[in-house]
């Protein structure tokens, strides 16, 4: 939010240097990011009057000008053709510095001395929008009178300081000059002098020309409109153009500038419609219809959806509510009647619409933070006040205002003693009241009444924050923290958190489902009648049959979520749940055993068996599991999975008896087509069920730092031939075991099947990286290691391809 200092001072009569203003506003909670003045980039530029013009003797386009700058008359040579004697214009003297960074030096132009330069709009970083009567490619000639020799920055209105504020999302009231001026008044202890604009008066009745109806009252809290006829389109006065330019808004014409000016001053976006293009003379605020389109003011055609809100007439949308007006809703030179709109729209809806359309505007950025509906009426009255002040048209009597649920101030108990205890300071009750009153609060009978524009103040602690920021955070004494906090997560809790965060980092979305479901769920995931998972704990008082059993497997819950995503036409989804499964004990009086499973499911063009297997293995590596020791076995009994595309991942762990035991970590694969059919999913789905207990036991220690190798590596490629039924995982495990510590890494880079290697065989090509950590590995050493590897592979029927 940009704030010109003099604009703020028109509402709060404080005196401060720019640095002091920035420091004090930041300390009171309104953070100043930076500030600057255009005058700092304009050195030795003054106002001068052309007293004499003469042709250059050696040029047909240059003029020799005598320019009176107050203290003296200087000679300047220029090529501008729009000057005449008596013109008042900005003059850059010898040694001047222009806003563009250029420096002006005394010199000669074709033998004639020139002691400076007469400045154009472009050289001052200005445009025709700032000075509509100027010549674009000529010298800027001032229409207003100014003292000769006056600093050009002062004469041109470029000497104000502009502050850039960082406004937090909970303070949309500070996205306005009035809001920041109110904060400045409280900070410097001066009165806030903004006055309420008067009720509009005029001939006629606006209801005879227009009607307004809000159909989507949940997305539009208030819609106000007024009308101006006999519109007189012309440039805005200079003071308005200067304030708009300093605030980063381009002046256009008086009507458009009024809406932008009010938006900056009140923080309330406004729009002006050409009444001639409001078909049926009726405005309706509603949700867009399916398939509706609109051409916005930027000329782009945009498709609308039913969750977007539009302002429409009888023929269709004329604006995207809170974002941008339609192509024919603007103000033109031929406009004779204008409808001013001031409304309050639902912030999340505006943000969603803005993002979907790829259209972020000053208006949408304010609405999405949540504005005060009570502010809309005052902003509209202010716009009409400016219309009268600028003589921009004739106001039609009355206002249209659809405001079904007016905002009401909130009351919060006022307890000064509790505030002091909370802050650890000693501020008197009167000082607290004196702090709150300039901010728009009122205090009476032990209750603080919060103004409607402060939606962020909801509780007593928020009142304490207001006291603290004006009492000064730097004045709050240091205190020792009382009490002890020993809530340290356990190793298991840290492990589960890391598990969840890793999967979220892989692009999976976490879901959470109920721990109970229907007996029909077992049929839907294709479990055999004798499968032990069908033996589940029945709930004594279920809500219904669909929630009558505690789940023994979380796969049906996950498949329901996948089914809903598919039904919602999501082309791709990757989901996970840290789910609890319940296994009944032999004694029905005992509580069931609880086991945690990490269940993953995904579908889409990038998901197949290898993708889910790679995801699970990558997860294991992050958790420190030695994936080189993983045992991958085809699972042909997994009833819920495709019989040829399912595998079990196991690892050898030392048991309680000290012996190595094989423990199953996960089952993964492609979901059976019949299961997909049961959940009405017409796409391949892959899933994985990971035992959290087994994975917790198999996780590695804290990773240790390993320095970069000192000795070079040797690479070898092996093309192996094996029977088709020999798992590639077994071959890889044999390679790693035989290679030992000298085998740094290996990668499978080719698989081939064909007549050249015999029927029933497959060819696997691996790239091996060999390295000795203590010495340079010679070719002889590498060859010996390869021979050892090949000998081990031969024992399992795998040979080198000839």
């Amino acid at each position: 939010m940009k704030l010109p200092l003099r604009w703020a001072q028109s509402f709060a009569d404080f005196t401060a240097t720019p640095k002091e203003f920035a420091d004090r506003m930041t300390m009171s909670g309104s953070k100043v990011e930076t500030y600057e003045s255009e005058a700092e980039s304009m050195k030795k530029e003054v106002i001068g009057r052309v007293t004499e013009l003469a042709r250059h003797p050696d040029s047909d386009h240059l003029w020799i000008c005598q320019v009176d700058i107050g203290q003296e008359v200087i000679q300047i040579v220029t090529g501008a053709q729009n000057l005449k004697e008596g013109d008042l214009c900005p003059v850059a003297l010898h040694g001047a510095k222009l806003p563009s960074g250029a420096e002006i030096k005394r010199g000669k132009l074709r033998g004639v001395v020139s002691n400076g330069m007469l400045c154009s709009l472009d050289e001052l970083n200005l445009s025709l929008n700032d000075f509509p009567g100027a010549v674009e490619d000529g010298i800027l000639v001032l229409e207003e009178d100014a003292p000769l020799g006056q600093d050009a920055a002062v004469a041109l209105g470029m000497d104000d300081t502009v502050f850039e504020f960082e406004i937090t999302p909970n303070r949309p009231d500070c996205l306005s000059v009035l809001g920041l001026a109110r904060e400045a008044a409280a900070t410097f202890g001066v009165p806030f002098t903004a006055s309420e604009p008067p009720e509009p008066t005029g001939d006629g009745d606006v209801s005879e020309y227009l009607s307004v109806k809000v159909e989507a009252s949940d997305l539009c809290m208030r819609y106000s409109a007024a009308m101006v006829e006999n519109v007189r389109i012309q440039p805005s006065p200079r003071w308005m153009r200067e304030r708009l330019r300093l605030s980063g808004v381009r002046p256009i014409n008086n009507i458009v500038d009024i809406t932008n000016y009010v938006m900056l001053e009140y923080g309330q976006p406004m729009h002006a419609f050409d009444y001639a293009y409001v078909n049926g003379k009726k405005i309706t605020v509603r949700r867009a219809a399916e398939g509706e389109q609109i051409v916005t003011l930027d000329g782009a055609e945009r498709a609308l959806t039913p969750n977007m809100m539009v302002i429409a007439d009888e023929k269709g949308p004329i604006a995207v509510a809170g974002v941008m007006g339609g192509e024919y809703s603007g103000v033109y030179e031929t406009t004779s009647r204008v409808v001013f709109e001031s409304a309050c729209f639902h912030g999340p809806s505006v943000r969603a619409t803005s993002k979907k359309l790829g259209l972020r505007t000053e208006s949408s950025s304010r609405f999405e933070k949540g504005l005060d509906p009570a502010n809309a009426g005052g902003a509209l009255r202010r716009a009409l006040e400016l219309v009268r002040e600028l003589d921009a048209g004739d106001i039609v009597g009355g206002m249209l205002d659809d405001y079904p649920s007016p905002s009401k101030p909130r009351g919060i108990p006022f307890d000064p003693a509790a505030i002091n205890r909370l802050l650890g300071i000693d501020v008197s009750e009167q000082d607290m009241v004196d702090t709150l009153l300039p901010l728009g609060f009122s205090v009476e009978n032990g209750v603080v009444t919060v103004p409607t524009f402060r939606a962020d103040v909801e509780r007593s602690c928020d009142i304490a924050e207001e006291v603290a920021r004006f009492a000064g955070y730097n004045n709050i004494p240091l205190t020792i923290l009382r009490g002890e906090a020993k809530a340290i997560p356990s190793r298991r809790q840290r492990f589960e958190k890391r598990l969840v965060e890793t999967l979220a980092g892989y692009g999976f979305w976490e879901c959470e489902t109920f721990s109970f479901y229907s007996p029909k769920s077992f049929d839907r995931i294709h479990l055999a009648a004798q499968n032990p998972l069908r033996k589940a704990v029945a709930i004594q008082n279920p809500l219904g049959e669909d929630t009558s059993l505690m789940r023994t497997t979380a796969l049906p819950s996950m498949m329901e979520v996948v089914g809903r995503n598919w039904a919602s036409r999501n082309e791709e989804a990757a989901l996970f749940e840290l789910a609890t499964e319940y296994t009944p004990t032999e004694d029905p009086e005992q509580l069931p055993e609880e086991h945690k499973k990490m269940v993953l499911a995904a579908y889409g063009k990038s998901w197949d068996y290898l993708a889910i297997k790679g995801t699970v293995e990558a997860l294991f590596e992050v958790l420190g599991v030695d994936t080189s020791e993983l045992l991958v076995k085809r699972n042909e009994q997994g009833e819920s999975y495709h019989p040829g595309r399912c595998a079990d991942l196991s690892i050898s762990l030392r048991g309680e008896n000290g012996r190595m035991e094989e423990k199953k970590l996960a089952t993964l694969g492609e979901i059976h087509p019949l299961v997909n059919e049961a959940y009405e999913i017409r796409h391949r789905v892959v899933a994985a069920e990971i035992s959290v207990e087994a994975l917790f036991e198999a996780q590695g220690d804290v990773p240790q730092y390993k320095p970069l190798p000192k000795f070079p590596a040797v690479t070898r490629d092996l093309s192996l031939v094996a029977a088709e039924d020999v798992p590639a995982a077994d071959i890889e495990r044999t390679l790693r075991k035989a290679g030992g510590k000298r085998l740094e890494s290996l990668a499978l880079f080719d698989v081939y099947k064909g007549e050249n290697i015999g029927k029933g065989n497959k060819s696997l090509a691996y790239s091996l990286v060999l390295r000795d950590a203590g010495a340079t590995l010679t070719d002889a050493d590498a060859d010996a290691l390869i021979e050892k590897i090949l000998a081990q592979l031969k024992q399992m029927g795998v040979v080198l391809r000839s």
Side-chain angles (χ1 to χ4, degrees):
M1 172 67 191
K2 289 186 175 181
L3 177 70
L5 184 61
R6 284 205 287 266
W7 198 351
Q9 288 173 329
S10 67
F11 299 112
D13 189 15
F14 59 88
T15 302
T17 64
K19 185 178 187 311
E20 182 185 2
F21 179 76
D23 291 344
R24 292 187 62 175
M25 289 294 286
T26 298
M27 290 304 296
S28 66
S30 302
K31 183 182 178 183
V32 176
E33 285 288 311
T34 184
Y35 61 89
E36 63 179 352
S37 173
E38 293 172 311
E40 294 178 359
S41 62
M42 299 173 65
K43 304 297 183 183
K44 300 187 72 174
E45 293 181 46
V46 299
I47 299 301
R49 187 182 300 279
V50 178
T51 59
E52 184 180 337
L53 276 175
R55 284 284 187 184
H56 193 293
D58 251 354
S59 172
D60 59 355
H61 71 280
L62 293 179
W63 292 88
I64 303 172
C65 306
Q66 304 302 318
V67 183
D68 185 356
I69 59 171
Q71 300 294 327
E72 59 178 321
V73 176
I74 62 174
Q75 178 173 286
I76 294 177
V77 179
T78 180
Q81 304 300 311
N82 67 311
L83 288 175
K84 63 181 183 300
E85 292 182 0
D87 281 346
L88 206 63
C89 51
V91 181
L93 304 177
H94 170 69
K97 180 181 178 183
L98 298 179
S100 61
E103 292 189 12
I104 304 303
K105 299 292 185 183
R106 182 184 295 114
K108 290 185 178 181
L109 288 176
R110 296 198 179 184
V112 177
V113 174
S114 180
N115 292 299
M117 184 178 75
L118 303 179
C119 299
S120 66
L121 286 171
D122 186 58
E123 287 153 349
L124 296 169
N125 281 351
L126 297 172
S127 69
L128 286 176
N129 298 100
D130 305 310
F131 286 88
V135 177
E136 188 170 12
D137 57 352
I139 300 302
L140 172 59
V141 177
L142 300 184
E143 296 178 355
E144 299 91 349
D145 198 13
L148 298 182
Q150 183 183 30
D151 191 324
V154 176
L156 298 174
M158 302 175 70
D159 59 328
D160 201 356
T161 303
V162 179
F163 294 82
E164 181 83 34
F165 283 85
E166 178 188 312
I167 307 300
T168 54
N170 67 322
R171 291 300 305 275
D173 61 298
C174 285
L175 286 170
S176 66
V177 174
L178 284 174
L180 289 173
R182 184 184 292 108
E183 292 287 314
T187 300
F188 288 91
V190 299
F192 178 63
T193 57
S195 59
E196 281 291 322
E199 291 293 332
T201 59
D203 296 332
D205 187 349
V206 67
S207 60
E208 296 176 0
Y209 295 87
L210 188 70
S211 66
V212 169
K213 183 179 181 181
V214 177
E215 292 182 354
S217 58
D218 57 327
L219 300 182
C220 178
M221 288 72 78
R222 184 179 188 180
Y223 192 93
S224 303
M227 199 164 124
V228 175
E229 59 183 356
N230 301 322
V231 171
R232 295 175 280 279
I233 304 294
Q234 56 189 351
S236 300
R238 181 172 157 181
W239 61 267
M240 180 176 282
R241 299 198 306 268
E242 285 179 3
R243 287 183 173 181
L244 290 174
R245 178 178 58 81
L246 291 170
S247 300
V249 177
R250 179 170 58 93
I252 298 175
N253 59 52
N254 51 358
I255 297 296
V256 176
D257 290 352
I258 284 172
T259 62
N260 288 331
Y261 188 89
V262 172
M263 179 184 69
L264 294 171
E265 188 172 75
Y266 276 69
Q268 171 65 44
M270 295 189 65
H271 191 70
F273 295 101
D274 189 330
Y275 179 72
Y277 292 100
V278 181
N279 296 289
K281 314 313 175 189
K282 178 180 180 181
I283 289 179
T284 305
V285 185
R286 59 171 173 81
R287 286 176 169 84
E290 188 69 51
E292 274 192 318
Q293 294 185 332
I294 185 174
V295 178
T296 46
L297 279 172
D298 59 357
E301 185 175 0
R302 304 180 187 276
L304 305 174
T305 58
N307 57 355
M308 297 178 182
M309 190 168 49
V310 297
I311 299 162
D313 59 16
E314 282 192 347
K315 288 189 176 180
I318 57 175
V320 182
V323 182
M324 183 178 281
E327 181 180 23
Y328 299 109
S329 70
V331 177
Y332 307 96
E333 293 293 333
T334 57
T335 299
S336 62
R337 289 176 177 170
V338 162
V339 178
F340 280 105
E341 161 205 283
S342 180
C344 187
F345 304 112
H346 187 236
S349 171
V350 172
R351 177 168 174 78
T353 300
S354 173
K355 288 190 69 176
K356 191 158 187 177
L357 295 178
L359 189 61
R360 186 174 175 82
T361 61
E362 281 282 347
S363 174
S364 67
S365 66
R366 282 171 164 78
F367 276 122
E368 68 187 26
K369 294 174 177 62
L371 298 183
D372 175 21
N375 194 38
L380 183 56
R381 292 193 298 273
R382 174 59 171 155
L384 297 176
E385 181 182 36
L386 288 170
V387 167
R388 193 182 303 278
E389 182 179 339
L390 272 56
D391 192 29
D394 301 326
I395 300 170
V396 177
M399 285 173 49
L400 300 173
D401 193 7
D402 193 339
Y403 192 14
S405 301
S407 300
K408 296 180 180 179
R410 182 185 298 110
I412 298 176
F414 181 51
D415 187 346
I419 291 174
N420 280 327
R421 283 196 305 272
L422 179 63
L423 299 177
I425 59 178
D426 185 14
V427 177
S428 69
E429 178 178 347
Q430 187 58 49
D431 286 343
M432 292 184 186
V433 173
D434 291 342
T435 296
L436 296 171
L437 292 180
L439 296 172
F441 298 83
S442 62
V443 182
E444 190 175 356
N445 300 326
V447 175
V448 176
T449 302
V450 182
T452 56
F453 58 79
R454 289 300 303 273
D456 61 306
V457 178
E458 299 176 337
R459 300 174 294 171
S460 297
C461 57
D462 297 323
I463 299 296
E465 181 183 358
E466 297 300 300
V467 173
R469 66 192 184 99
F470 287 101
Y473 290 113
N474 54 331
N475 295 324
I476 298 177
L478 297 175
T479 55
I480 298 174
L481 182 66
R482 294 187 294 273
E484 295 183 9
K486 295 184 178 180
I488 301 174
S490 65
R491 183 167 177 260
R492 174 62 180 266
Q493 288 172 326
R494 294 196 300 272
F495 167 78
E496 291 183 1
K497 181 180 179 183
R498 191 177 182 193
L499 195 62
V500 169
E501 289 176 345
T502 302
L503 286 171
Y506 288 164
F508 281 73
W509 290 85
E510 185 175 12
C511 60
E512 188 170 343
T513 60
F514 290 116
S515 297
F516 34 80
Y517 47 45
S518 167
K520 297 177 182 177
S521 298
F522 299 128
D523 297 328
R524 298 180 77 185
I525 64 169
H526 202 235
L527 287 187
Q530 67 277 13
N531 193 303
L533 291 177
R534 284 183 175 268
K535 185 181 179 182
V537 176
I539 300 174
Q540 292 182 354
N541 56 341
L543 296 174
E545 185 186 13
D546 289 345
T547 56
S548 60
L549 296 181
M550 299 298 292
R551 64 185 175 193
T552 55
T553 169
L555 189 60
S557 304
M558 178 57 73
M559 289 303 296
E560 286 183 8
V561 178
V562 173
R564 283 197 295 271
N565 275 269
W566 175 257
S568 299
R569 300 184 181 182
N570 287 337
E571 296 181 358
E572 187 166 329
L575 308 160
F576 74 89
E577 180 181 9
L578 185 59
T580 303
E581 299 175 345
Y582 303 86
T583 304
T585 59
E586 295 296 330
D587 184 357
E589 298 297 324
Q590 295 293 324
L591 293 173
E593 295 179 0
E594 297 184 17
H595 308 280
K596 281 198 172 182
K597 284 280 186 69
M598 179 61 78
V599 185
L600 286 68
Y603 70 87
K605 61 183 179 181
S606 57
W607 287 101
D608 57 14
Y609 168 79
L610 292 178
I612 194 70
K613 179 175 179 288
T615 299
V616 172
E617 289 178 342
L619 175 66
F620 288 175
E621 288 182 359
V622 169
L623 297 173
V625 178
D626 187 359
T627 54
S628 66
E629 297 296 327
L630 277 181
L631 303 174
V632 183
K633 296 182 179 179
R634 179 176 295 174
N635 181 343
E636 297 180 350
Q637 306 301 320
E639 298 148 344
S640 303
Y641 294 87
H642 193 294
R645 301 169 189 169
C646 179
D648 291 331
L649 302 185
S650 305
I651 196 169
S652 294
L653 297 174
R654 194 171 299 278
E656 295 180 358
N657 56 9
R659 296 180 180 179
M660 299 301 291
E661 300 176 355
E662 187 176 309
K663 286 200 173 183
K664 181 178 172 182
L665 293 180
T667 296
L668 57 87
E670 184 178 320
I671 294 296
H672 199 289
L674 293 177
V675 177
N676 284 346
E677 184 178 336
Y679 287 95
E680 299 181 354
I681 304 170
R682 293 184 296 277
H683 200 288
R684 176 170 58 191
V685 178
V686 291
E689 298 172 78
I690 305 171
S691 170
V692 175
E693 282 80 6
L695 187 58
F696 178 70
E697 188 178 347
Q699 70 172 323
D701 297 326
V702 177
Q704 300 295 316
Y705 165 74
K706 182 185 290 185
L708 292 172
K710 297 181 179 179
F711 301 98
V714 176
T715 59
R716 291 285 189 273
D717 290 346
L718 294 181
S719 183
L720 307 173
V721 177
E724 283 189 20
D725 59 353
V726 177
D730 291 349
I731 297 175
E732 182 176 332
R733 188 164 52 253
T734 301
L735 282 167
R736 291 186 183 278
K737 187 174 182 180
K741 293 183 178 180
R742 285 184 169 181
L743 178 58
E744 186 174 273
S745 64
L746 64 88
L748 175 67
F749 66 87
D750 184 55
V751 178
Y752 169 75
K753 293 180 183 179
E755 296 180 358
N756 295 338
I757 57 174
K759 188 176 181 180
N761 290 333
K762 60 184 177 183
S763 172
L764 304 173
Y766 292 89
S767 176
L768 282 64
V769 178
L770 310 176
R771 193 193 305 269
D772 192 321
T776 299
L777 196 65
T778 65
D779 286 342
D781 294 334
D783 292 341
L785 183 58
I786 294 298
E787 291 298 327
K788 178 183 175 183
I789 290 173
L790 292 174
Q792 292 287 333
L793 290 171
K794 190 173 183 180
Q795 295 179 12
M796 57 184 299
V798 180
V799 298
L800 193 66
R801 182 178 174 182
S802 58

